[in-house]
Coordinates of all heavy atoms in Angstrom, one line a residue:
Y441 N 47.1 44.4 30.1 CA 48.0 45.5 30.2 C 47.2 46.8 30.3 O 46.0 46.7 30.1 CB 49.0 45.6 29.1 CG 48.4 45.9 27.7 CD1 48.4 47.2 27.3 CD2 47.8 45.0 26.9 CE1 47.8 47.6 26.0 CE2 47.3 45.3 25.7 CZ 47.2 46.6 25.2 OH 46.7 46.9 24.0
N443 N 47.4 51.0 29.0 CA 48.1 52.1 28.4 C 47.2 53.3 28.4 O 46.0 53.3 28.1 CB 48.3 51.7 26.8 CG 49.5 50.9 26.6 OD1 50.1 50.4 27.7 ND2 50.0 50.8 25.4
Y444 N 47.7 54.5 28.8 CA 47.1 55.7 28.8 C 45.8 55.7 29.5 O 44.8 56.3 29.1 CB 46.9 56.2 27.3 CG 48.1 56.2 26.5 CD1 48.4 55.3 25.5 CD2 49.1 57.3 26.7 CE1 49.5 55.3 24.9 CE2 50.3 57.2 26.0 CZ 50.5 56.3 25.0 OH 51.5 56.3 24.3
G445 N 45.7 55.0 30.6 CA 44.5 54.9 31.5 C 43.4 53.9 31.0 O 42.4 53.7 31.7
N446 N 43.7 53.2 29.9 CA 42.8 52.2 29.4 C 43.3 50.8 29.7 O 44.4 50.5 29.4 CB 42.5 52.4 27.9 CG 41.7 53.7 27.7 OD1 40.6 53.7 28.0 ND2 42.3 54.7 27.1
F448 N 43.2 46.6 29.1 CA 43.0 45.7 28.0 C 43.1 44.2 28.5 O 44.1 43.9 29.1 CB 43.9 45.9 26.8 CG 43.7 47.2 26.2 CD1 44.4 48.3 26.6 CD2 42.8 47.4 25.2 CE1 44.2 49.7 26.0 CE2 42.6 48.6 24.6 CZ 43.3 49.7 25.0
S460 N 46.2 46.6 20.9 CA 44.8 46.8 21.3 C 43.8 46.1 20.4 O 42.7 45.8 20.8 CB 44.5 48.3 21.4 OG 44.7 48.9 20.1
C465 N 38.9 46.2 25.3 CA 39.1 47.4 26.1 C 38.0 47.5 27.2 O 36.8 47.5 27.0 CB 39.0 48.7 25.2 SG 39.2 50.2 26.1
R491 N 52.7 48.7 31.2 CA 52.5 49.3 29.9 C 53.0 48.3 28.8 O 53.9 47.6 29.0 CB 53.3 50.7 29.8 CG 53.3 51.3 28.5 CD 53.7 52.7 28.6 NE 54.2 53.3 27.4 CZ 53.7 53.2 26.2 NH1 52.5 52.6 26.0 NH2 54.2 53.8 25.1
N492 N 52.2 48.4 27.6 CA 52.6 47.5 26.5 C 53.3 48.4 25.5 O 52.8 49.2 24.8 CB 51.3 47.0 25.9 CG 51.5 46.0 24.8 OD1 52.7 45.7 24.4 ND2 50.5 45.5 24.1
D495 N 52.2 48.6 21.8 CA 51.0 49.3 21.5 C 51.0 50.7 21.7 O 51.1 51.2 22.8 CB 49.9 48.7 22.3 CG 48.5 49.3 22.0 OD1 48.4 49.9 20.9 OD2 47.5 49.0 22.8
E496 N 51.1 51.6 20.6 CA 51.3 53.0 20.7 C 49.9 53.7 20.4 O 49.8 54.9 20.3 CB 52.3 53.5 19.7 CG 53.7 53.0 20.0 CD 54.2 53.5 21.4 OE1 53.7 54.5 21.8 OE2 55.0 52.8 22.0
S497 N 48.8 52.9 20.2 CA 47.6 53.5 19.9 C 47.0 54.2 21.1 O 47.2 53.8 22.3 CB 46.6 52.5 19.4 OG 46.4 51.5 20.4
T498 N 46.3 55.4 21.0 CA 45.7 56.1 22.1 C 44.2 56.0 21.8 O 43.7 56.2 20.7 CB 46.2 57.6 22.0 OG1 45.8 58.2 20.8 CG2 47.7 57.6 22.3
H499 N 43.5 55.8 22.9 CA 42.1 55.6 22.8 C 41.3 56.8 23.5 O 41.8 57.4 24.4 CB 41.6 54.3 23.5 CG 42.4 53.1 23.0 ND1 43.7 52.8 23.1 CD2 41.8 52.1 22.2 CE1 43.9 51.7 22.5 NE2 42.8 51.3 21.9
N500 N 40.2 57.0 22.9 CA 39.4 58.2 23.3 C 38.0 57.7 23.7 O 37.0 57.9 23.0 CB 39.3 59.2 22.3 CG 38.6 60.5 22.6 OD1 38.6 60.7 23.9 ND2 38.0 61.2 21.7
V501 N 37.9 56.9 24.8 CA 36.7 56.5 25.3 C 36.1 57.4 26.2 O 36.6 57.6 27.4 CB 36.8 55.1 25.9 CG1 35.4 54.6 26.4 CG2 37.5 54.1 24.9
C752 N 33.9 52.8 20.1 CA 34.8 54.0 19.8 C 35.5 53.7 18.5 O 35.8 52.5 18.2 CB 35.8 54.2 20.9 SG 36.7 52.7 21.4
P753 N 35.6 54.7 17.5 CA 36.2 54.5 16.3 C 37.8 54.4 16.4 O 38.5 55.3 16.2 CB 35.9 55.7 15.5 CG 35.7 56.8 16.6 CD 35.2 56.0 17.8
M754 N 38.3 53.2 16.8 CA 39.7 53.0 17.0 C 40.1 51.9 16.0 O 39.4 51.3 15.3 CB 39.9 52.5 18.4 CG 39.4 53.5 19.5 SD 39.8 52.9 21.2 CE 38.9 51.4 21.3
P755 N 41.4 51.7 15.9 CA 41.9 50.8 14.9 C 41.4 49.4 15.0 O 41.3 48.6 14.1 CB 43.5 50.7 15.2 CG 43.8 52.1 15.8 CD 42.5 52.4 16.5
H756 N 40.9 49.0 16.2 CA 40.4 47.6 16.3 C 38.9 47.5 16.0 O 38.3 46.4 16.2 CB 40.7 47.1 17.7 CG 39.9 47.8 18.9 ND1 40.3 49.0 19.3 CD2 38.8 47.4 19.6 CE1 39.4 49.4 20.3 NE2 38.5 48.4 20.4

Side-chain angles (χ1 to χ4, degrees):
Y441 71 95
N443 276 15
Y444 307 105
N446 291 292
F448 295 90
S460 60
C465 176
R491 176 158 154 56
N492 182 0
D495 181 14
E496 295 299 330
S497 60
T498 59
H499 298 74
N500 185 26
V501 182
C752 48
M754 301 185 295
H756 66 284

